Amino acid sequence: MKLLIIFPAALVLAGPLSAAPQSITLAAATEFAATVSLLKFDGKQGRSTPFFNGYRPGLRFAGSAAEVTCSVSIQGPQDSVSPGESAQVQLRCLDKVVVMKDKPEFVFYEGGRKVGSGVLALPTAAQ
């Protein structure tokens, strides 16, 4: 009996493999600083109303399809972030978060719709 194994083209790799980018893991409930920008509603994405302290969107970090819920605390004198505005915030995620050191960006969602984006302020020791 002969056995013939056929690999789908998608599984055949060509060229050298590179290592995964360096990342850091932030434990659940860890607070970290970020800058966020809220998109204006355009029918497919964005929000038409501001968000306030305690806002809890789902975040997807660069390099990951996983979504984690995080609580947002707005820093500075403003008490809300309106569509089209940016703000400094503190995030506190319910689950651990893995962040690529060279790409600490994230997108936040409501009900599967993209409503904004942001960048983490990674600790100096982590960079």
Side-chain angles (χ1 to χ4, degrees), residues 39-59:
L39 297 171
K40 291 182 180 179
F41 185 69
D42 72 0
K44 294 181 182 178
Q45 61 183 10
R47 279 179 63 107
S48 56
T49 59
F51 72 76
F52 299 85
N53 281 320
Y55 175 58
R56 293 172 51 131
L59 274 63

Side-chain angles (χ1 to χ4, degrees), residues 68-125:
V68 61
T69 301
C70 299
S71 178
V72 179
S73 176
I74 303 166
Q75 304 298 294
Q78 63 191 104
D79 64 351
S80 67
V81 179
S82 296
E85 290 183 346
S86 296
Q88 300 296 315
V89 301
Q90 286 288 117
L91 298 175
R92 183 182 199 131
C93 297
L94 299 180
D95 296 309
K96 74 175 181 177
V97 174
V98 178
V99 179
M100 294 187 312
K101 288 182 182 180
D102 63 339
K103 196 169 184 182
E105 293 96 10
F106 59 89
V107 175
F108 51 101
Y109 293 85
E110 288 178 4
R113 184 179 75 239
K114 179 180 175 179
V115 294
S117 61
V119 178
L120 295 181
L122 295 177
T124 305

